[in-house]
Amino acid sequence: RMLCNSAREKRRGAIAPLAAILAIFILGMVAFAVDTSWIILTETELQAAADSAALAGSNQLMNNYVLYSLPGQTDAQKTALLNAAMDAARTAAKNYASYNVAGGVNSLALRDADIEFGFLDASNNYTARPTYTGYPNTVKVILRRDDVSNGSLNLFFAPALGTKSTNISVTASATLYAGTINSFTTTSNVGMLPMTY
């Protein structure tokens, strides 16, 4: 019986060192999960903001497209219409980016340098300006949380490992497609609303 009690006394508290060692790994995994979730949440918010900015910008390209395409426009008139449309698209994209929040930053800033115009054809071939010289149908934006714009994303537990922040950037693009109406018949994938003269 004494041997049994002695064995019990030797084993008493043996779980404490093991729990202390395992607690380090458990806390490390919790910290990793929290920081990873924070990064993913911020990236999702940034993507939503970039999508809205690209859509708002591409919507502004419609305004001058008809005038630009009319016959008889001089090169100077076309250039003025194109510049006005791109300026309006930049302004709308920046405004819509500023309406969004990502990673605790209110009113996200979208730089002019991160707004690109180009043309996407029916075969999904994209050509950016200035290589493409006609009227653009696509607005592509890059929205950032880094040292360049909106500041790097601060982390909660990673500073204990020497990483205080991380950089995130997302890309979004929106395209307008135009077509020529040359008859009143519809195809299998294109429909027309009722029209009157």
Side-chain angles (χ1 to χ4, degrees):
R1 203 167 195 181
M2 290 185 88
L3 288 173
C4 190
N5 286 338
S6 175
R8 282 184 190 162
E9 286 176 8
K10 286 181 183 177
R11 291 170 62 190
R12 188 175 298 155
I15 194 69
L18 183 61
I21 293 170
L22 289 176
I24 295 170
F25 294 105
I26 291 170
L27 288 174
M29 294 307 293
V30 169
F32 178 76
V34 168
D35 281 341
T36 301
S37 299
W38 178 236
I39 292 168
I40 292 170
L41 173 64
T42 303
E43 189 173 12
T44 302
E45 291 173 335
L46 267 182
Q47 189 65 61
D51 290 345
S52 69
L55 284 169
S58 66
N59 192 42
Q60 294 300 314
L61 292 178
M62 286 191 294
N63 295 337
N64 288 346
Y65 176 74
V66 174
L67 291 174
Y68 182 92
S69 303
L70 288 175
Q73 295 281 7
T74 65
D75 287 341
Q77 289 171 324
K78 285 188 170 188
T79 300
L81 289 168
L82 179 57
N83 289 337
M86 291 195 299
D87 288 343
R90 280 189 200 94
T91 301
K94 288 159 67 172
N95 286 342
Y96 272 77
S98 72
Y99 300 151
N100 288 275
V101 177
V105 170
N106 296 323
S107 189
L108 293 168
L110 176 60
R111 303 180 317 140
D112 284 341
D114 288 331
I115 303 172
E116 179 183 278
F117 296 94
F119 186 82
L120 184 71
D121 65 20
S123 300
N124 282 331
N125 297 315
Y126 176 74
T127 307
R129 289 182 59 82
T131 304
Y132 180 77
T133 56
Y135 198 91
N137 69 349
T138 301
V139 175
K140 185 181 286 189
V141 301
I142 300 172
L143 202 50
R144 308 171 182 272
R145 280 295 312 269
D146 58 16
D147 296 333
V148 176
S149 183
N150 299 307
S152 297
L153 180 68
N154 292 325
L155 302 174
F156 296 105
F157 296 101
L161 301 174
T163 304
K164 294 181 180 179
S165 61
T166 188
N167 296 329
I168 303 173
S169 66
V170 298
T171 304
S173 60
T175 301
L176 296 170
Y177 282 110
T180 303
I181 297 175
N182 54 17
S183 73
F184 291 109
T185 59
T186 60
T187 62
S188 60
N189 58 354
V190 177
M192 285 180 53
L193 293 173
M195 300 177 67
T196 59
Y197 279 103

